[in-house]
Amino acid sequence: MSNDYYNNKVQEIAPQYLSLSFEQVHGNWAHYLPAILDKPNATILDVGAGVGRDVSHIANLLAKRNQGNNQCRVYAVEPALQMLQTGQNTTQGQNVHWLQDSLPALDKTTRLEISFDLILLSAVWMHIPVSQRSRSLRKLANLLKPGGKIVVSLKFGMSAQEQHERKMFDVSIEEVEALAQNLGLFSKLESQNTKDQLGREDVYWQTLVLQMPDDGTGAFPFIRHVAINDGKSATHKLALLRVLLRIADGHAGAVLRREPSANGDRVILPLGLVALYWIHQYKDLIDHYRLFQTPNQRPNMGFMKNNGWYQLTHRASADFRIGNLFVGADAKALYRTLSASAQNIRDMPCKYIILPNSDTRVFEVDAKTVKAKDSLFLDLNTLTQWGEFSLPETTWLALSRYACWIEPVLVSEWVKTMASYQGNLGYTAPDKQYLLYQALKWEEPKRSTTGVRQRFDTLATTQQMHCIWSAKTLKRKYDIDHSMPFSRWPNNDLWNLVPSDSQVNNNKRDKLPSEKTLNAAKERMQHWWASAWLNDNKQNQKQRFFAEANIALPGLSAQNDSIDDLFEALLLQRGRLKDMQQLSEW
């Protein structure tokens, strides 16, 4: 697309586009819109939103339907800055979020880590070079919710001069449908030719509506295949899938970037984070429960070294988490254990998990040598030292969206696998296998709020404290609440723990705060964050606060130190939880 053309011509183009109504342009598919807008948490994306005509109409419909209780979100993507700024003026005061972004990468959009019920691609496809169309449609498909729709309008009858000036390319219905079929999308509508609404005689349009069936990428059945059917000489494969699932479900901010590849876009993670969770997962299984993880009766695995793992036997799995600081001998031992784990991940599961009927590895590791030091703070920047871990974006999205369905499969297969090993013969009887399930509980930090209570009590000696949710004054009787419910998303990060009136907290229980409730609490929540953790003289508390938030919440950089950006990311995470787990709202 020629951004310069549209930036230079915006004053001429904008009145033309705004002279047409949404119904004039999109009447042939608009009958699908009401069912989408009726969804209580619908998310809609307009790629190439131009001067904002279409998103303004959709946002207006949502506002009327929801009458002030609008929890739906509309996102507008536009690469040309002048067009974007005009669009922002068009939608001023409406619930529309603008991003300067472009296909085929859509980097900023994908960093939101949300998926969409509807993606509109109006008068955009002809701007995408043929060589980029496969990747572009794959990217859009990856952003769709199961059952979500992509609306593509195709322009025909372009003159050679127009194609040159605006960088347009020939299009065809057959090309789009073939690309869609390869991605598991099916066609819901193929409109007849319609005349150009601006009166250009030679120009006509066709519209395609594509739909995503549940998990149309094939990633979900592939994960299930590895978990259930793939050969397992040890528990490495199950361990890696569970580690990646936990990162995808709990650390949306862990994605360093996305990269194109011959087989689709890939998500890049810090290898050190994958290794840290690898240690976290195996620590209690091996050291506390003494369970064998290979068919033979050798207790050792490849990452268990005398100068690393065995120097950390006094540590529990809960110690290996973002925001913790290791010093002295423990720090050096953890450096070595992370390095050994990274090597083991590369040489075992990554080597043997391959695509069906091929020799292509699904996961890739680019490991680096790291020298052990006597201080190790576990945050995103630190964990990038060990290199990078790469996985298909489709696999990442499946692990994120279907975590609550995939994890029970992984745990069940792990129990069966361990029970079959010679060293675990005492657990073969069905009535003993509950102990294996107990051992496989993901040892999230216990639901302990002791440290936060101590901080609250200290602050209460010098200032008046208030309930985050109700603004009631808090005295002796209060609770420390998990703003995002712990039972559905186990997270003990400092940003997620807030003071609450006991009666209010009892009423909230394990419900998800609505967007309206969360926004109403914004000022009080940010005041609590600042006074409790950011204005504290202990620098480590502030460092821990942002280390935890920046990796747990979507769309934040590792360097973020803004509580305004943090709160916006919290709203996004709230929407993700609502969408993925269909939680009751409060």
Side-chain angles (χ1 to χ4, degrees):
M1 176 177 173
S2 176
N3 291 339
D4 289 342
Y5 176 90
Y6 287 95
N7 282 327
N8 294 334
K9 297 276 190 177
V10 66
Q11 297 300 326
E12 175 185 336
I13 291 172
Q16 294 178 15
Y17 290 173
L18 294 173
S19 70
L20 301 175
S21 69
F22 181 93
E23 289 82 4
Q24 284 178 286
V25 178
H26 300 295
N28 52 11
W29 67 269
H31 57 282
Y32 290 115
L33 199 53
I36 295 169
L37 301 183
D38 283 340
K39 295 183 179 182
N41 295 279
T43 47
I44 295 167
L45 174 67
D46 187 354
V47 178
V51 295
R53 177 197 61 212
D54 297 339
V55 287
S56 178
H57 176 80
I58 292 171
N60 189 44
L61 289 178
L62 284 169
K64 289 179 179 178
R65 283 179 177 300
N66 294 283
Q67 296 181 347
N69 188 29
N70 186 2
Q71 297 192 37
C72 302
R73 285 180 171 253
V74 180
Y75 292 84
V77 165
E78 175 55 42
L81 181 59
Q82 297 299 318
M83 296 280 280
L84 182 148
Q85 290 173 345
T86 304
Q88 287 175 321
N89 290 332
T90 302
T91 59
Q92 189 171 8
Q94 294 183 292
N95 186 21
V96 177
H97 306 266
W98 284 86
L99 296 168
Q100 188 178 15
D101 207 356
S102 61
L103 286 165
L106 285 180
D107 286 329
K108 293 179 182 177
T109 308
T110 51
R111 278 188 62 81
L112 297 176
E113 295 290 346
I114 59 177
S115 48
F116 298 90
D117 296 283
L118 172 67
I119 299 176
L120 178 58
L121 214 66
S122 178
V124 170
W125 191 255
M126 68 279 191
H127 287 296
I128 303 173
V130 174
S131 62
Q132 295 181 7
R133 287 177 179 172
S134 176
R135 184 188 172 201
S136 294
L137 194 58
R138 183 183 293 113
K139 172 63 69 173
L140 296 171
N142 287 345
L143 289 170
L144 269 187
K145 293 179 183 178
K149 294 178 176 64
I150 301 175
V151 177
V152 186
S153 65
L154 302 176
K155 183 178 183 179
F156 298 88
M158 297 169 284
S159 67
Q161 181 181 352
E162 183 183 32
Q163 286 186 287
H164 175 73
E165 288 180 347
R166 300 196 187 193
K167 292 187 179 178
M168 294 177 175
F169 307 88
D170 290 337
V171 299
S172 75
I173 286 281
E174 294 75 15
E175 176 205 35
V176 181
E177 287 184 329
L179 292 173
Q181 187 176 27
N182 290 339
L183 296 168
L185 298 168
F186 62 92
S187 180
K188 287 282 289 184
L189 172 72
E190 180 182 325
S191 76
Q192 299 298 313
N193 295 350
T194 57
K195 293 181 180 179
D196 181 63
Q197 294 296 318
L198 289 175
R200 292 167 290 191
E201 288 186 3
D202 295 326
V203 175
Y204 65 97
W205 299 81
Q206 275 190 281
T207 300
L208 268 178
V209 178
L210 307 172
Q211 184 164 326
M212 170 68 75
D214 285 7
D215 190 50
T217 66
F220 187 47
F222 168 73
I223 293 167
R224 188 176 183 276
H225 167 77
V226 173
I228 296 176
N229 302 317
D230 221 4
K232 291 177 276 291
S233 60
T235 59
H236 295 103
K237 291 182 180 179
L238 293 168
L240 181 58
L241 288 179
R242 196 178 187 205
V243 161
L244 295 174
L245 179 144
R246 280 289 171 161
I247 295 173
D249 186 44
H251 290 322
V255 178
L256 297 177
R257 66 184 182 280
R258 285 169 165 81
E259 289 183 350
S261 76
N263 295 312
D265 285 7
R266 298 184 70 84
V267 169
I268 312 301
L269 302 172
L271 178 57
L273 178 62
V274 181
L276 179 68
Y277 266 29
W278 184 267
I279 298 165
H280 176 107
Q281 180 170 238
Y282 274 120
K283 190 71 175 67
D284 288 351
L285 270 178
I286 294 171
D287 285 357
H288 179 69
Y289 291 99
R290 307 290 180 184
L291 290 168
F292 290 84
Q293 300 302 308
T294 60
N296 55 51
Q297 289 185 287
R298 292 199 307 267
N300 258 23
M301 296 186 78
F303 54 88
M304 299 168 63
K305 307 295 184 183
N306 288 332
N307 65 349
W309 180 276
Y310 287 108
Q311 301 299 312
L312 296 168
T313 53
H314 59 290
R315 292 282 192 167
S317 63
D319 294 329
F320 302 97
R321 66 184 302 273
I322 296 298
N324 274 4
L325 174 67
F326 287 70
V327 295
D330 280 8
K332 291 183 177 181
L334 181 53
Y335 265 106
R336 298 183 186 110
T337 306
L338 285 166
S339 295
S341 298
Q343 182 178 341
N344 192 240
I345 291 166
R346 180 194 64 195
D347 295 342
M348 292 302 294
C350 288
K351 182 177 180 180
Y352 297 109
I353 298 178
I354 57 176
L355 292 173
N357 305 313
S358 79
D359 296 324
T360 304
R361 296 180 185 180
V362 176
F363 307 114
E364 299 172 1
V365 171
D366 180 14
K368 296 180 180 178
T369 302
V370 181
K371 183 179 179 181
K373 300 176 183 177
D374 59 6
S375 180
L376 177 56
F377 180 73
L378 296 173
D379 66 357
L380 193 62
N381 281 332
T382 300
L383 294 171
T384 58
Q385 295 178 82
W386 278 268
E388 296 178 346
F389 183 98
S390 166
L391 71 157
E393 185 180 47
T394 52
T395 304
W396 170 261
L397 292 171
L399 290 170
S400 176
R401 293 171 182 170
Y402 305 110
C404 57
W405 289 282
I406 295 173
E407 187 163 32
V409 175
L410 297 176
V411 170
S412 176
E413 287 303 309
W414 202 327
V415 165
K416 292 177 185 176
T417 301
M418 286 193 297
S420 71
Y421 290 162
Q422 187 71 22
N424 300 327
L425 288 178
Y427 299 96
T428 54
D431 62 335
K432 295 289 185 181
Q433 289 188 12
Y434 79 93
L435 295 171
L436 299 181
Y437 281 100
Q438 182 72 23
L440 280 168
K441 281 188 175 180
W442 188 270
E443 288 294 333
E444 290 284 355
K446 292 181 181 179
R447 192 171 180 171
S448 169
T449 58
T450 304
V452 182
R453 265 184 185 279
Q454 290 172 349
R455 184 63 183 144
F456 178 95
D457 293 340
T458 299
L459 291 173
T461 62
T462 59
Q463 60 184 272
Q464 196 172 63
M465 306 298 288
H466 296 93
C467 170
I468 292 298
W469 306 117
S470 68
K472 291 181 180 179
T473 300
L474 299 179
K475 296 182 180 178
R476 291 185 178 181
K477 191 175 182 181
Y478 67 90
D479 289 341
I480 298 297
D481 177 38
H482 292 74
S483 62
M484 300 294 102
F486 187 92
S487 63
R488 298 304 186 94
W489 194 57
N491 182 295
N492 254 6
D493 292 351
L494 295 179
W495 60 267
N496 196 37
L497 296 166
V498 296
S500 171
D501 175 81
S502 297
Q503 187 175 354
V504 172
N505 189 37
N506 188 55
N507 182 44
K508 175 178 176 279
R509 299 178 68 84
D510 291 330
K511 294 178 182 176
L512 184 71
S514 69
E515 185 169 349
K516 182 178 179 181
T517 300
L518 203 54
N519 273 317
K522 177 180 179 179
E523 185 176 344
R524 293 185 295 275
M525 185 173 286
Q526 290 187 322
H527 176 75
W528 161 253
W529 289 341
S531 59
W533 313 119
L534 308 186
N535 299 337
D536 188 6
N537 291 329
K538 296 179 180 177
Q539 177 63 23
N540 185 53
Q541 294 288 28
K542 179 177 181 179
Q543 190 180 16
R544 175 188 167 188
F545 177 85
F546 282 113
E548 292 175 342
N550 292 346
I551 200 170
L553 298 173
L556 296 175
S557 71
Q559 293 75 36
N560 171 64
D561 60 1
S562 164
I563 57 175
D564 287 327
D565 290 348
L566 194 160
F567 190 84
E568 287 301 310
L570 175 56
L571 287 173
L572 284 175
Q573 180 62 15
R574 191 216 74 85
R576 292 179 75 237
L577 290 174
K578 174 64 180 174
D579 176 44
M580 291 187 291
Q581 298 196 32
Q582 300 298 306
L583 303 183
S584 298
E585 289 187 303
W586 176 70

